[in-house]
Amino acid sequence: MLVLITYDVNTEDASGKARLRKVAKQCTNYGQRVQNSVFECVMDYGKCREVKHILEEIIDKDKDSLRFYYLGNNYQGKIEHIGAKETFSVEAPLII
């Protein structure tokens, strides 16, 4: 299923900047960045629970927020892109 992960991390102090880097690094392990704090991740339910747990351990729940949008398996027709930063399908064959 496609899961859209978005986050807002308070970076007013050094610990917030460190949390932001950690959240972004973890998200890159699971999907592709499509905007500064937005990642598209194709994963199964177990992997989704795993990343959710990891991210919950990183953020400060009093200052930061996470949002997960579950778009399911038939997501291709639900996404429209306009503008720069064209993306690729993470499920398409990769030719090296």
mmCIF file of all heavy atoms in Angstrom, residues 42-78:
data_model
loop_
_atom_site.group_PDB
_atom_site.id
_atom_site.type_symbol
_atom_site.label_atom_id
_atom_site.label_comp_id
_atom_site.label_asym_id
_atom_site.label_seq_id
_atom_site.Cartn_x
_atom_site.Cartn_y
_atom_site.Cartn_z
ATOM 1 N N VAL A 42 5.913 2.934 -0.220
ATOM 2 C CA VAL A 42 5.156 1.745 -0.572
ATOM 3 C C VAL A 42 5.617 0.648 0.378
ATOM 4 O O VAL A 42 6.796 0.270 0.385
ATOM 5 C CB VAL A 42 5.392 1.338 -2.041
ATOM 6 C CG1 VAL A 42 4.672 0.043 -2.358
ATOM 7 C CG2 VAL A 42 4.924 2.452 -2.968
ATOM 8 N N MET A 43 4.694 0.173 1.210
ATOM 9 C CA MET A 43 5.059 -0.810 2.233
ATOM 10 C C MET A 43 3.843 -1.614 2.653
ATOM 11 O O MET A 43 2.711 -1.214 2.409
ATOM 12 C CB MET A 43 5.683 -0.114 3.436
ATOM 13 C CG MET A 43 4.777 0.885 4.130
ATOM 14 S SD MET A 43 5.545 1.708 5.529
ATOM 15 C CE MET A 43 6.299 3.096 4.735
ATOM 16 N N ASP A 44 4.102 -2.738 3.306
ATOM 17 C CA ASP A 44 3.006 -3.538 3.837
ATOM 18 C C ASP A 44 2.670 -3.050 5.251
ATOM 19 O O ASP A 44 3.339 -2.163 5.796
ATOM 20 C CB ASP A 44 3.344 -5.031 3.819
ATOM 21 C CG ASP A 44 4.569 -5.379 4.654
ATOM 22 O OD1 ASP A 44 4.936 -4.626 5.583
ATOM 23 O OD2 ASP A 44 5.180 -6.422 4.383
ATOM 24 N N TYR A 45 1.647 -3.642 5.823
ATOM 25 C CA TYR A 45 1.162 -3.204 7.139
ATOM 26 C C TYR A 45 2.243 -3.317 8.215
ATOM 27 O O TYR A 45 2.416 -2.423 9.038
ATOM 28 C CB TYR A 45 -0.071 -4.026 7.526
ATOM 29 C CG TYR A 45 -0.651 -3.647 8.863
ATOM 30 C CD1 TYR A 45 -1.353 -2.460 9.020
ATOM 31 C CD2 TYR A 45 -0.478 -4.472 9.965
ATOM 32 C CE1 TYR A 45 -1.882 -2.102 10.253
ATOM 33 C CE2 TYR A 45 -1.005 -4.120 11.206
ATOM 34 C CZ TYR A 45 -1.699 -2.934 11.331
ATOM 35 O OH TYR A 45 -2.208 -2.578 12.546
ATOM 36 N N GLY A 46 2.994 -4.412 8.204
ATOM 37 C CA GLY A 46 4.039 -4.619 9.206
ATOM 38 C C GLY A 46 5.131 -3.571 9.133
ATOM 39 O O GLY A 46 5.584 -3.039 10.146
ATOM 40 N N LYS A 47 5.574 -3.259 7.918
ATOM 41 C CA LYS A 47 6.615 -2.245 7.729
ATOM 42 C C LYS A 47 6.100 -0.874 8.140
ATOM 43 O O LYS A 47 6.825 -0.074 8.726
ATOM 44 C CB LYS A 47 7.051 -2.243 6.264
ATOM 45 C CG LYS A 47 8.327 -1.523 5.980
ATOM 46 C CD LYS A 47 9.515 -2.075 6.700
ATOM 47 C CE LYS A 47 10.048 -3.322 6.065
ATOM 48 N NZ LYS A 47 11.321 -3.742 6.653
ATOM 49 N N CYS A 48 4.816 -0.620 7.882
ATOM 50 C CA CYS A 48 4.217 0.655 8.266
ATOM 51 C C CYS A 48 4.206 0.815 9.792
ATOM 52 O O CYS A 48 4.545 1.870 10.307
ATOM 53 C CB CYS A 48 2.802 0.748 7.701
ATOM 54 S SG CYS A 48 2.052 2.360 7.950
ATOM 55 N N ARG A 49 3.840 -0.240 10.485
ATOM 56 C CA ARG A 49 3.867 -0.194 11.960
ATOM 57 C C ARG A 49 5.278 0.026 12.471
ATOM 58 O O ARG A 49 5.494 0.740 13.443
ATOM 59 C CB ARG A 49 3.286 -1.474 12.545
ATOM 60 C CG ARG A 49 1.774 -1.552 12.441
ATOM 61 C CD ARG A 49 1.235 -2.828 13.046
ATOM 62 N NE ARG A 49 1.736 -3.110 14.381
ATOM 63 C CZ ARG A 49 1.104 -2.807 15.518
ATOM 64 N NH1 ARG A 49 -0.066 -2.228 15.451
ATOM 65 N NH2 ARG A 49 1.641 -3.107 16.674
ATOM 66 N N GLU A 50 6.251 -0.594 11.790
ATOM 67 C CA GLU A 50 7.655 -0.457 12.182
ATOM 68 C C GLU A 50 8.124 0.992 12.081
ATOM 69 O O GLU A 50 8.676 1.549 13.029
ATOM 70 C CB GLU A 50 8.512 -1.350 11.284
ATOM 71 C CG GLU A 50 9.990 -1.255 11.524
ATOM 72 C CD GLU A 50 10.757 -2.129 10.545
ATOM 73 O OE1 GLU A 50 10.425 -3.322 10.392
ATOM 74 O OE2 GLU A 50 11.706 -1.603 9.925
ATOM 75 N N VAL A 51 7.895 1.621 10.928
ATOM 76 C CA VAL A 51 8.351 2.999 10.743
ATOM 77 C C VAL A 51 7.582 3.950 11.662
ATOM 78 O O VAL A 51 8.154 4.899 12.199
ATOM 79 C CB VAL A 51 8.283 3.438 9.265
ATOM 80 C CG1 VAL A 51 6.868 3.566 8.775
ATOM 81 C CG2 VAL A 51 9.020 4.751 9.059
ATOM 82 N N LYS A 52 6.316 3.691 11.864
ATOM 83 C CA LYS A 52 5.524 4.528 12.768
ATOM 84 C C LYS A 52 6.107 4.489 14.179
ATOM 85 O O LYS A 52 6.275 5.530 14.822
ATOM 86 C CB LYS A 52 4.074 4.057 12.769
ATOM 87 C CG LYS A 52 3.145 4.908 13.567
ATOM 88 C CD LYS A 52 1.716 4.402 13.431
ATOM 89 C CE LYS A 52 0.781 5.178 14.298
ATOM 90 N NZ LYS A 52 -0.595 4.672 14.249
ATOM 91 N N HIS A 53 6.450 3.302 14.645
ATOM 92 C CA HIS A 53 7.044 3.152 15.980
ATOM 93 C C HIS A 53 8.390 3.881 16.062
ATOM 94 O O HIS A 53 8.658 4.593 17.033
ATOM 95 C CB HIS A 53 7.213 1.668 16.312
ATOM 96 C CG HIS A 53 7.928 1.430 17.597
ATOM 97 N ND1 HIS A 53 7.341 1.646 18.825
ATOM 98 C CD2 HIS A 53 9.187 1.018 17.850
ATOM 99 C CE1 HIS A 53 8.212 1.371 19.780
ATOM 100 N NE2 HIS A 53 9.343 0.992 19.210
ATOM 101 N N ILE A 54 9.224 3.715 15.046
ATOM 102 C CA ILE A 54 10.540 4.367 15.035
ATOM 103 C C ILE A 54 10.380 5.888 15.097
ATOM 104 O O ILE A 54 11.062 6.562 15.881
ATOM 105 C CB ILE A 54 11.339 3.948 13.783
ATOM 106 C CG1 ILE A 54 11.762 2.482 13.893
ATOM 107 C CG2 ILE A 54 12.552 4.847 13.573
ATOM 108 C CD1 ILE A 54 12.311 1.888 12.615
ATOM 109 N N LEU A 55 9.491 6.418 14.278
ATOM 110 C CA LEU A 55 9.306 7.869 14.247
ATOM 111 C C LEU A 55 8.707 8.402 15.540
ATOM 112 O O LEU A 55 9.079 9.483 16.010
ATOM 113 C CB LEU A 55 8.446 8.263 13.048
ATOM 114 C CG LEU A 55 9.066 7.992 11.675
ATOM 115 C CD1 LEU A 55 8.074 8.335 10.566
ATOM 116 C CD2 LEU A 55 10.368 8.739 11.493
ATOM 117 N N GLU A 56 7.791 7.644 16.125
ATOM 118 C CA GLU A 56 7.199 8.066 17.406
ATOM 119 C C GLU A 56 8.254 8.137 18.504
ATOM 120 O O GLU A 56 8.148 8.970 19.406
ATOM 121 C CB GLU A 56 6.096 7.103 17.830
ATOM 122 C CG GLU A 56 4.800 7.310 17.097
ATOM 123 C CD GLU A 56 3.707 6.409 17.638
ATOM 124 O OE1 GLU A 56 3.077 6.785 18.652
ATOM 125 O OE2 GLU A 56 3.503 5.328 17.047
ATOM 126 N N GLU A 57 9.266 7.291 18.433
ATOM 127 C CA GLU A 57 10.335 7.305 19.422
ATOM 128 C C GLU A 57 11.255 8.519 19.239
ATOM 129 O O GLU A 57 11.904 8.946 20.191
ATOM 130 C CB GLU A 57 11.165 6.016 19.322
ATOM 131 C CG GLU A 57 10.411 4.769 19.724
ATOM 132 C CD GLU A 57 10.052 4.754 21.205
ATOM 133 O OE1 GLU A 57 10.921 5.086 22.031
ATOM 134 O OE2 GLU A 57 8.895 4.414 21.526
ATOM 135 N N ILE A 58 11.319 9.062 18.029
ATOM 136 C CA ILE A 58 12.212 10.188 17.743
ATOM 137 C C ILE A 58 11.588 11.526 18.104
ATOM 138 O O ILE A 58 12.245 12.381 18.703
ATOM 139 C CB ILE A 58 12.611 10.197 16.246
ATOM 140 C CG1 ILE A 58 13.433 8.956 15.909
ATOM 141 C CG2 ILE A 58 13.387 11.471 15.896
ATOM 142 C CD1 ILE A 58 13.691 8.771 14.421
ATOM 143 N N ILE A 59 10.328 11.724 17.753
ATOM 144 C CA ILE A 59 9.733 13.055 17.905
ATOM 145 C C ILE A 59 9.421 13.391 19.362
ATOM 146 O O ILE A 59 9.327 12.516 20.217
ATOM 147 C CB ILE A 59 8.450 13.211 17.053
ATOM 148 C CG1 ILE A 59 7.317 12.342 17.599
ATOM 149 C CG2 ILE A 59 8.726 12.959 15.590
ATOM 150 C CD1 ILE A 59 5.943 12.728 17.061
ATOM 151 N N ASP A 60 9.273 14.673 19.603
ATOM 152 C CA ASP A 60 8.780 15.180 20.882
ATOM 153 C C ASP A 60 7.293 15.446 20.669
ATOM 154 O O ASP A 60 6.924 16.390 19.955
ATOM 155 C CB ASP A 60 9.528 16.459 21.258
ATOM 156 C CG ASP A 60 9.062 17.069 22.557
ATOM 157 O OD1 ASP A 60 7.916 16.803 22.992
ATOM 158 O OD2 ASP A 60 9.838 17.842 23.154
ATOM 159 N N LYS A 61 6.438 14.636 21.263
ATOM 160 C CA LYS A 61 5.003 14.723 21.000
ATOM 161 C C LYS A 61 4.375 16.029 21.496
ATOM 162 O O LYS A 61 3.266 16.359 21.104
ATOM 163 C CB LYS A 61 4.276 13.520 21.601
ATOM 164 C CG LYS A 61 4.630 12.231 20.883
ATOM 165 C CD LYS A 61 3.911 11.050 21.470
ATOM 166 C CE LYS A 61 4.372 9.778 20.768
ATOM 167 N NZ LYS A 61 3.812 8.586 21.375
ATOM 168 N N ASP A 62 5.086 16.777 22.329
ATOM 169 C CA ASP A 62 4.580 18.071 22.781
ATOM 170 C C ASP A 62 4.905 19.190 21.795
ATOM 171 O O ASP A 62 4.282 20.254 21.842
ATOM 172 C CB ASP A 62 5.168 18.421 24.147
ATOM 173 C CG ASP A 62 4.681 17.482 25.246
ATOM 174 O OD1 ASP A 62 3.521 17.016 25.156
ATOM 175 O OD2 ASP A 62 5.465 17.209 26.174
ATOM 176 N N LYS A 63 5.892 18.973 20.911
ATOM 177 C CA LYS A 63 6.333 20.027 19.998
ATOM 178 C C LYS A 63 6.199 19.663 18.524
ATOM 179 O O LYS A 63 6.122 20.545 17.680
ATOM 180 C CB LYS A 63 7.805 20.364 20.262
ATOM 181 C CG LYS A 63 8.086 20.908 21.636
ATOM 182 C CD LYS A 63 9.562 21.175 21.795
ATOM 183 C CE LYS A 63 9.887 21.707 23.185
ATOM 184 N NZ LYS A 63 11.323 21.958 23.334
ATOM 185 N N ASP A 64 6.233 18.379 18.196
ATOM 186 C CA ASP A 64 6.289 17.921 16.805
ATOM 187 C C ASP A 64 5.015 17.163 16.441
ATOM 188 O O ASP A 64 4.243 16.788 17.313
ATOM 189 C CB ASP A 64 7.488 16.982 16.596
ATOM 190 C CG ASP A 64 8.785 17.551 17.130
ATOM 191 O OD1 ASP A 64 8.961 18.787 17.108
ATOM 192 O OD2 ASP A 64 9.639 16.758 17.580
ATOM 193 N N SER A 65 4.834 16.914 15.142
ATOM 194 C CA SER A 65 3.687 16.109 14.730
ATOM 195 C C SER A 65 4.052 15.236 13.531
ATOM 196 O O SER A 65 4.916 15.577 12.725
ATOM 197 C CB SER A 65 2.492 16.994 14.376
ATOM 198 O OG SER A 65 2.763 17.755 13.226
ATOM 199 N N LEU A 66 3.372 14.103 13.457
ATOM 200 C CA LEU A 66 3.470 13.158 12.355
ATOM 201 C C LEU A 66 2.073 12.943 11.805
ATOM 202 O O LEU A 66 1.108 12.906 12.563
ATOM 203 C CB LEU A 66 3.990 11.800 12.828
ATOM 204 C CG LEU A 66 5.406 11.685 13.310
ATOM 205 C CD1 LEU A 66 5.621 10.335 13.974
ATOM 206 C CD2 LEU A 66 6.363 11.860 12.150
ATOM 207 N N ARG A 67 1.974 12.760 10.475
ATOM 208 C CA ARG A 67 0.693 12.400 9.865
ATOM 209 C C ARG A 67 0.957 11.275 8.883
ATOM 210 O O ARG A 67 1.917 11.318 8.123
ATOM 211 C CB ARG A 67 0.062 13.591 9.148
ATOM 212 C CG ARG A 67 -0.341 14.684 10.133
ATOM 213 C CD ARG A 67 -0.975 15.861 9.426
ATOM 214 N NE ARG A 67 -2.290 15.529 8.916
ATOM 215 C CZ ARG A 67 -3.434 15.823 9.532
ATOM 216 N NH1 ARG A 67 -3.415 16.427 10.687
ATOM 217 N NH2 ARG A 67 -4.583 15.512 8.978
ATOM 218 N N PHE A 68 0.099 10.274 8.905
ATOM 219 C CA PHE A 68 0.177 9.133 8.001
ATOM 220 C C PHE A 68 -1.114 9.098 7.194
ATOM 221 O O PHE A 68 -2.201 9.046 7.760
ATOM 222 C CB PHE A 68 0.317 7.827 8.791
ATOM 223 C CG PHE A 68 1.616 7.719 9.540
ATOM 224 C CD1 PHE A 68 1.767 8.324 10.782
ATOM 225 C CD2 PHE A 68 2.680 7.018 9.016
ATOM 226 C CE1 PHE A 68 2.953 8.222 11.483
ATOM 227 C CE2 PHE A 68 3.868 6.911 9.701
ATOM 228 C CZ PHE A 68 4.010 7.516 10.934
ATOM 229 N N TYR A 69 -0.981 9.109 5.872
ATOM 230 C CA TYR A 69 -2.134 9.007 4.974
ATOM 231 C C TYR A 69 -2.040 7.662 4.279
ATOM 232 O O TYR A 69 -1.059 7.391 3.581
ATOM 233 C CB TYR A 69 -2.120 10.138 3.940
ATOM 234 C CG TYR A 69 -2.245 11.509 4.553
ATOM 235 C CD1 TYR A 69 -1.117 12.218 4.953
ATOM 236 C CD2 TYR A 69 -3.489 12.099 4.718
ATOM 237 C CE1 TYR A 69 -1.233 13.485 5.516
ATOM 238 C CE2 TYR A 69 -3.609 13.363 5.276
ATOM 239 C CZ TYR A 69 -2.470 14.047 5.674
ATOM 240 O OH TYR A 69 -2.586 15.298 6.228
ATOM 241 N N TYR A 70 -3.032 6.832 4.471
ATOM 242 C CA TYR A 70 -3.040 5.482 3.907
ATOM 243 C C TYR A 70 -3.836 5.504 2.602
ATOM 244 O O TYR A 70 -5.055 5.549 2.613
ATOM 245 C CB TYR A 70 -3.642 4.505 4.917
ATOM 246 C CG TYR A 70 -2.927 4.546 6.247
ATOM 247 C CD1 TYR A 70 -3.442 5.261 7.322
ATOM 248 C CD2 TYR A 70 -1.713 3.896 6.406
ATOM 249 C CE1 TYR A 70 -2.775 5.314 8.533
ATOM 250 C CE2 TYR A 70 -1.030 3.945 7.624
ATOM 251 C CZ TYR A 70 -1.568 4.656 8.675
ATOM 252 O OH TYR A 70 -0.888 4.701 9.881
ATOM 253 N N LEU A 71 -3.123 5.466 1.468
ATOM 254 C CA LEU A 71 -3.764 5.573 0.162
ATOM 255 C C LEU A 71 -4.074 4.220 -0.457
ATOM 256 O O LEU A 71 -4.698 4.154 -1.508
ATOM 257 C CB LEU A 71 -2.887 6.401 -0.786
ATOM 258 C CG LEU A 71 -2.645 7.840 -0.329
ATOM 259 C CD1 LEU A 71 -1.747 8.571 -1.315
ATOM 260 C CD2 LEU A 71 -3.953 8.591 -0.159
ATOM 261 N N GLY A 72 -3.641 3.148 0.163
ATOM 262 C CA GLY A 72 -3.992 1.810 -0.300
ATOM 263 C C GLY A 72 -3.162 1.328 -1.471
ATOM 264 O O GLY A 72 -2.128 1.888 -1.816
ATOM 265 N N ASN A 73 -3.650 0.257 -2.104
ATOM 266 C CA ASN A 73 -2.929 -0.368 -3.209
ATOM 267 C C ASN A 73 -3.269 0.242 -4.564
ATOM 268 O O ASN A 73 -2.484 0.156 -5.495
ATOM 269 C CB ASN A 73 -3.209 -1.873 -3.243
ATOM 270 C CG ASN A 73 -2.599 -2.570 -2.043
ATOM 271 O OD1 ASN A 73 -1.502 -2.221 -1.612
ATOM 272 N ND2 ASN A 73 -3.301 -3.534 -1.502
ATOM 273 N N ASN A 74 -4.418 0.851 -4.705
ATOM 274 C CA ASN A 74 -4.839 1.449 -5.983
ATOM 275 C C ASN A 74 -4.672 2.963 -5.923
ATOM 276 O O ASN A 74 -5.617 3.708 -6.108
ATOM 277 C CB ASN A 74 -6.291 1.063 -6.292
ATOM 278 C CG ASN A 74 -6.447 -0.430 -6.422
ATOM 279 O OD1 ASN A 74 -5.611 -1.094 -7.021
ATOM 280 N ND2 ASN A 74 -7.509 -0.967 -5.849
ATOM 281 N N TYR A 75 -3.457 3.391 -5.693
ATOM 282 C CA TYR A 75 -3.185 4.803 -5.473
ATOM 283 C C TYR A 75 -2.816 5.569 -6.738
ATOM 284 O O TYR A 75 -2.840 6.793 -6.754
ATOM 285 C CB TYR A 75 -2.036 4.958 -4.468
ATOM 286 C CG TYR A 75 -0.747 4.332 -4.930
ATOM 287 C CD1 TYR A 75 0.145 5.033 -5.716
ATOM 288 C CD2 TYR A 75 -0.437 3.027 -4.594
ATOM 289 C CE1 TYR A 75 1.317 4.446 -6.149
ATOM 290 C CE2 TYR A 75 0.733 2.433 -5.019
ATOM 291 C CZ TYR A 75 1.612 3.144 -5.789
ATOM 292 O OH TYR A 75 2.770 2.557 -6.220
ATOM 293 N N GLN A 76 -2.460 4.882 -7.829
ATOM 294 C CA GLN A 76 -1.938 5.559 -9.010
ATOM 295 C C GLN A 76 -2.867 6.660 -9.521
ATOM 296 O O GLN A 76 -2.403 7.734 -9.896
ATOM 297 C CB GLN A 76 -1.657 4.552 -10.135
ATOM 298 C CG GLN A 76 -0.478 3.657 -9.868
ATOM 299 C CD GLN A 76 -0.838 2.430 -9.019
ATOM 300 O OE1 GLN A 76 -1.977 2.257 -8.600
ATOM 301 N NE2 GLN A 76 0.143 1.589 -8.751
ATOM 302 N N GLY A 77 -4.157 6.445 -9.533
ATOM 303 C CA GLY A 77 -5.097 7.450 -10.013
ATOM 304 C C GLY A 77 -5.435 8.519 -8.992
ATOM 305 O O GLY A 77 -6.164 9.456 -9.292
ATOM 306 N N LYS A 78 -4.893 8.406 -7.788
ATOM 307 C CA LYS A 78 -5.207 9.352 -6.719
ATOM 308 C C LYS A 78 -4.149 10.440 -6.559
ATOM 309 O O LYS A 78 -4.294 11.310 -5.721
ATOM 310 C CB LYS A 78 -5.347 8.607 -5.386
ATOM 311 C CG LYS A 78 -6.477 7.606 -5.376
ATOM 312 C CD LYS A 78 -6.537 6.859 -4.068
ATOM 313 C CE LYS A 78 -7.617 5.805 -4.090
ATOM 314 N NZ LYS A 78 -7.640 5.013 -2.870
#
